[in-house]
Amino acid sequence: MITAASMPLAMAATMAFLPGTAAALSSDVVISAVYGGGGNSTATIKNDFIELANLTGSPIDVSGWSVQYASAAGAVFQMTSLTGSIPAHGRYLVQQAAGAGGTLSLPAPDATGSVPMSATSGVVALVTAQIPLVGCGISCAIAPNVKDLVGYGATANVETLAAPGGTNSTALARSGSLTDTDNNSVDFTSGVPKATNTAGVTVTATDTGGPTDPTPGSTRIHDIQGSGRISPIVGQSVTNVPGIVTAVRTTGSSRGFWFQDPTADADPLTSEGLFVFTGSTSPTVVPGDSVLVTGRVTEYRPAAGAQSLTEIGGPVNTVKLTGGNALPAPVTVAFPDAFTKSGSLEAQPLEPGSYVLDFLEVNEGMRVTVAQDTRLISPVNTEFDELWVTLKPGQNPTPRGGTIYKSYADQNSGRLFIQALGGAPAANVGSTLAAGTVGVVDYQSFGGYVVQATELGTITEGGLKRQKVLPPKKAGDLSVATYNVENLAATNPDAKFQRLAQAVVTNLGSPDILALEEIQDNNGATNDGTVAANETVGKFITAIQAAGGPAYAWRSIDPVNGADGGEPGGNIRQVFLYNPLRTTFVDKAGGDATTAVTVVRERPTSNQINLSASPGRINPASGAWSSSRKPLVGEFLYDGNKQLFVIANHFNSKGGDYPLTAAVQPPVRSSEVQRTQQATEVHDFVNDLETKSAGRARVVVLGDLNDYQFSPVLQTLTGNGAILKTLIDTLPEDQRYSYVFDGNSQVLDHILVSPAIKGYSYGVVHINAEFSDQASDHDPQIVRILTGCDTDPLPARCLPGSPVVDE
């Protein structure tokens, strides 16, 4: 029998974390169990085995199929041919090589091979042919005829991520209802070997339990962590690793505890702390317990592109030696100037004195303390007890206490993410977190490195106030605003409508035209084919009137059900609200979800233009808008029948982009591709307006563009400033933000204007993003188009720079 993978440990560590591939989901026959420890020391079952399961209600003939096994390196597969069929909802047992030990024989096998399988790491494939797999490398999961594949332990030949490694006394079994998600790490768990044949006869190995010997093993936490980002012994089992429990997590699906070796080694690059993953089972240990931990060393990667968290995973056995021990002294958090280096971080040596991400990795799992007063640069998220602070108060500050995000090259190295395990009070940007926060360094998909705080310093509120729009100076001025109202549906509580309405009236000054993003259909996330939003919009308009605002009229276009992305069933779309006492909407029939609006000249030689439909949608059949909101275009008249074209947008989200703390730097921005295509569509439409009007068209492009003012998307949309002006760039650099994410005050929402709009005042109205109590996660923006600004030279009141927001 093979009791360990034969490849070098360094190779195993490297291969285990190459990107996995996934086969098509198997809905009929799957591999249900794999055991390679048969007949080895401590094993009770004599043979290795592979078990298959039929998920359907009918027998399935597997004659001509095969199961194939390869070592963790996966170079050569050994094949065992199958015959017969698997009963409905039944099992099928393939017996493999026997070891010298064991006391239990398997049930009568349905197929027999002689393959000596590894207990700890290997690859098993179910193939609908009897042809050996050759030349598929680490991508055998998608090779021809492969029905299902399980890679376990230290192998890269997997479906997405490897299943845990086995042992002589544990097998890998498909979890729960045997569902195949094409992720071996999710689908399989380690447990007591159990084998069932087609006749339904089952043999279960004797559960010998975990180690109870109170003697510490030879492996220490710093041996597991190593001096790099990936453990040098990843995939291996470790026994009786000693340490002091420093913190526990008893909620969610990633429960477990952190423990730390109080005796550090001489290498400053090796962490002395580690997370022990217990899954959905709450740990029974408490801080101060001295424990010995037995389990498997894994690298948990929480999201695509993310770095990994070194941990000990299941099956985990924990032996408590004593309680009430003093916790190791925390390390003071002190960030270097640079956030990160470039390239593959996992392939480079750690330099904690030079880079923030390296400092955090070196202290992964260890107790740390924030020994200085810090400023909150995000509001406290009280649902998840999360907040961001800056350790560098002079780094790119906003006037209201945040930290401005200026470019892809400057990630703001002073930011620190904290999650309070004991809860955190509501507080806004600019508040003070007193020195004294203590916790352990963790890594998660949202925010990357995070201090899981067991002690949170006192928070003192900073007194931040919500802003308001100044009154217009002239009656003919036209105000146009954009506001993402975050999945507003008629089914939402009245309180949400009331808060949003009060903001429209009090903070935005009842704008003449209001472009709304994320208006859902009448029943919100209920996915029953409903697309109309008249009840949602009507309820909002009624709430605005109740708050003292105007009786808005509205225009929109219902999308095709399920075609515009957003929350499933919600059918979000853009909507125009407008005050009919201040502006006129020019209705043109023909606009619907699938018809493209065009620009029409009144006469071939005229510069007077109109829309073919109003409201209309820009090229909705274009692939640029796949599963995304289509722009809403409307034609308005104002101030003595001046023509204004307004284009409301909600570009595709940044979902799928790698985090700022990604394992490869700079992070991949995959979502940018579609947004650039969308920007091209809108740019071309605006260019048509400009060309056919000989540059006289007044155009406002606005909405949630989901990208930064310095991004390629905005450069594409504006034609590098040739056809549209990005108004956020007219503000001082430290005020260019409408959203707060990962502690960075940044821009996602925009208002852009064509050159024909010469006199204007503009501002972002900060009422949400910086506040713990939010009606939406976005701040609205407003532009006031000033009357009497069509002369040359411009009157003084028309010159840009006149404030629109009361600071």
Side-chain angles (χ1 to χ4, degrees):
M1 302 297 289
I2 302 175
T3 58
S6 58
M7 73 178 77
L9 292 179
M11 182 184 296
T14 301
M15 291 187 65
F17 293 95
L18 291 171
T21 54
L25 298 174
S26 180
S27 59
D28 47 16
V29 180
V30 295
I31 299 168
S32 53
V34 173
Y35 177 56
N40 292 343
S41 172
T42 73
T44 55
I45 291 179
K46 297 177 182 179
N47 291 77
D48 297 344
F49 67 83
I50 300 165
E51 183 191 89
L52 310 178
N54 178 359
L55 306 183
T56 75
S58 303
I60 294 180
D61 187 359
V62 294
S63 299
W65 293 21
S66 62
V67 292
Q68 302 189 29
Y69 168 82
S71 69
V76 179
F77 279 85
Q78 301 175 73
M79 184 175 69
T80 303
S81 298
L82 308 183
T83 59
S85 63
I86 311 177
H89 300 298
R91 305 300 175 99
Y92 185 103
L93 183 61
V94 182
Q95 177 177 287
Q96 297 292 4
T103 58
L104 293 176
S105 297
L106 290 170
D110 302 300
T112 301
S114 57
V115 177
M117 297 165 57
S118 168
T120 57
S121 301
V123 185
V124 175
L126 173 61
V127 185
T128 58
Q130 294 180 352
I131 303 171
L133 295 172
V134 176
C136 52
I138 62 169
S139 300
C140 297
I142 56 173
N145 303 315
V146 172
K147 184 74 167 174
D148 194 16
L149 180 140
V150 179
Y152 60 99
T155 181
N157 206 345
V158 298
E159 290 182 349
T160 309
L161 293 172
T167 67
N168 293 343
S169 56
T170 60
L172 285 305
R174 191 174 289 274
S175 308
S177 60
L178 304 180
T179 302
D180 182 15
T181 71
D182 274 355
N183 187 334
N184 295 157
S185 69
V186 172
D187 291 344
F188 283 83
T189 57
S190 179
V192 176
K194 179 181 178 181
T196 303
N197 62 13
T198 54
V201 179
T202 299
V203 165
T204 302
T206 303
D207 185 0
T208 58
T212 57
D213 181 0
T215 304
S218 58
T219 303
R220 294 294 186 267
I221 292 174
H222 49 249
D223 299 324
I224 297 171
Q225 286 282 12
S227 59
R229 282 184 157 82
I230 302 298
S231 170
I233 57 173
V234 62
Q236 293 189 31
S237 295
V238 290
T239 303
N240 283 3
V241 180
I244 305 296
V245 176
T246 56
V248 297
R249 182 160 57 211
T250 58
T251 59
S253 59
S254 297
R255 303 180 190 186
F257 63 91
W258 290 267
F259 75 135
Q260 186 169 331
D261 194 327
T263 305
D265 67 353
D267 188 345
L269 300 182
T270 58
S271 169
E272 301 296 338
L274 195 65
F275 182 65
V276 179
F277 174 66
T278 60
S280 58
T281 302
S282 295
T284 57
V285 295
V286 297
D289 285 349
S290 174
V291 297
L292 303 176
V293 178
T294 296
R296 172 177 171 259
V297 178
T298 64
E299 291 285 348
Y300 170 63
R301 201 176 301 274
Q307 296 190 54
S308 63
L309 175 69
T310 307
E311 61 186 29
I312 295 179
V316 168
N317 182 267
T318 302
V319 177
K320 175 181 174 180
L321 302 179
T322 60
N325 296 277
L327 303 185
V331 175
T332 298
V333 178
F335 282 169
D337 290 336
F339 183 69
T340 185
K341 49 200 161 191
S342 61
S344 173
L345 301 185
E346 292 172 0
Q348 301 181 57
L350 293 170
E351 301 173 80
S354 299
Y355 301 102
V356 170
L357 295 188
D358 288 18
F359 173 89
L360 290 165
E361 173 62 28
V362 162
N363 291 285
E364 181 187 82
M366 291 181 61
R367 294 186 83 225
V368 296
T369 184
V370 181
Q372 65 188 81
D373 289 356
T374 54
R375 187 180 76 245
L376 268 64
I377 54 173
S378 77
V380 174
N381 181 326
T382 54
E383 180 180 2
F384 300 105
D385 299 310
E386 296 173 344
L387 61 145
W388 289 79
V389 298
T390 179
L391 302 181
K392 302 173 182 177
Q395 184 179 63
N396 298 326
T398 73
R400 294 168 58 85
T403 297
I404 202 76
Y405 184 46
K406 298 195 298 186
S407 72
Y408 293 124
D410 186 357
Q411 308 288 20
N412 289 314
S413 60
R415 296 173 303 115
L416 175 65
F417 184 27
I418 297 172
Q419 183 170 37
L421 293 174
N428 302 326
V429 165
S431 300
T432 300
L433 175 67
T437 295
V438 178
V440 289
V441 177
D442 190 23
Y443 189 92
Q444 56 158 272
S445 57
F446 299 107
Y449 290 102
V450 55
V451 174
Q452 300 284 359
T454 54
E455 303 171 40
L456 187 69
T458 301
I459 296 178
T460 303
E461 179 58 58
L464 195 67
K465 301 296 183 184
R466 288 180 165 88
Q467 294 181 322
K468 296 180 180 180
V469 171
L470 293 168
K473 293 183 177 180
K474 282 200 173 183
D477 294 349
L478 184 82
S479 55
V480 184
T482 176
Y483 196 2
N484 182 321
V485 291
E486 195 176 7
N487 290 324
L488 185 65
T491 54
N492 289 160
D494 290 345
K496 179 171 182 177
F497 282 89
Q498 292 163 2
R499 285 199 60 187
L500 289 168
Q502 192 64 56
V504 169
V505 176
T506 301
N507 301 95
L508 292 178
S510 298
D512 302 317
I513 300 172
L514 177 57
L516 302 172
E517 299 87 53
E518 293 198 19
I519 290 289
Q520 291 195 340
D521 61 36
N522 291 332
N523 59 18
T526 300
N527 196 359
D528 62 358
T530 298
V531 295
N534 58 304
E535 295 174 13
T536 301
V537 179
K539 189 173 180 178
F540 193 23
I541 291 173
T542 299
I544 291 172
Q545 285 183 274
Y552 280 112
W554 67 284
R555 295 291 186 273
S556 186
I557 293 176
D558 292 336
V560 173
N561 185 47
D564 282 18
E567 185 177 23
N571 289 309
I572 57 175
R573 84 289 308 274
Q574 296 87 266
V575 171
F576 290 129
L577 301 188
Y578 67 95
N579 184 349
L581 300 180
R582 299 276 301 150
T583 183
T584 299
F585 190 89
V586 180
D587 286 297
K588 297 278 185 69
D592 59 32
T594 58
T595 301
V597 64
T598 59
V599 182
V600 180
R601 276 198 180 106
E602 286 192 354
R603 296 182 302 278
T605 59
S606 170
N607 293 326
Q608 180 62 43
I609 60 172
N610 299 105
L611 299 177
S612 62
S614 176
R617 290 178 130 198
I618 294 178
N619 200 10
S622 169
W625 310 113
S626 176
S627 299
S628 185
R629 286 70 56 182
K630 287 71 175 170
L632 181 69
V633 186
E635 183 178 336
F636 294 84
L637 298 177
Y638 75 102
D639 192 23
N641 290 329
K642 292 178 181 175
Q643 191 179 43
L644 179 69
F645 299 97
V646 182
I647 305 174
N649 302 272
H650 188 184
F651 285 4
N652 73 295
S653 76
K654 291 182 174 292
D657 288 4
Y658 288 0
L660 295 183
T661 55
V664 177
Q665 294 287 336
V668 173
R669 304 191 303 270
S670 58
S671 69
E672 192 176 84
V673 174
Q674 185 177 6
R675 279 195 304 282
T676 301
Q677 295 169 347
Q678 294 175 343
T680 300
E681 292 281 357
V682 178
H683 167 276
D684 291 350
F685 187 83
V686 174
N687 191 55
D688 200 22
L689 287 168
E690 287 284 289
T691 301
K692 289 178 178 175
S693 70
R696 298 178 183 177
R698 299 179 187 87
V699 186
V700 175
V701 175
L702 74 176
D704 181 359
L705 302 183
N706 268 314
D707 226 325
Y708 315 119
Q709 71 276 23
F710 49 78
S711 68
V713 171
L714 267 294
Q715 301 312 307
T716 299
L717 177 59
T718 65
N720 290 315
I723 68 166
L724 288 169
K725 184 172 188 175
T726 307
L727 294 188
I728 197 78
D729 285 336
T730 67
L731 299 179
E733 189 175 40
D734 61 1
Q735 297 178 31
R736 298 173 188 172
Y737 65 96
S738 64
Y739 191 80
V740 178
F741 183 73
D742 280 4
N744 280 324
S745 294
Q746 56 194 244
V747 183
L748 295 182
D749 311 271
H750 291 272
I751 297 181
L752 309 98
V753 297
S754 64
I757 298 176
K758 298 178 180 179
Y760 59 84
S761 56
Y762 161 81
V764 180
V765 189
H766 298 299
I767 59 175
N768 287 317
E770 299 169 310
F771 295 87
S772 189
D773 179 22
Q774 301 177 342
S776 167
D777 50 351
H778 292 250
D779 285 332
Q781 298 184 25
I782 190 165
V783 61
R784 187 170 287 144
I785 301 173
L786 306 178
T787 189
C789 297
D790 296 320
T791 61
D792 192 15
L794 287 175
R797 74 175 296 269
C798 298
L799 297 175
S802 175
V804 71
V805 176
D806 184 2
E807 297 295 334

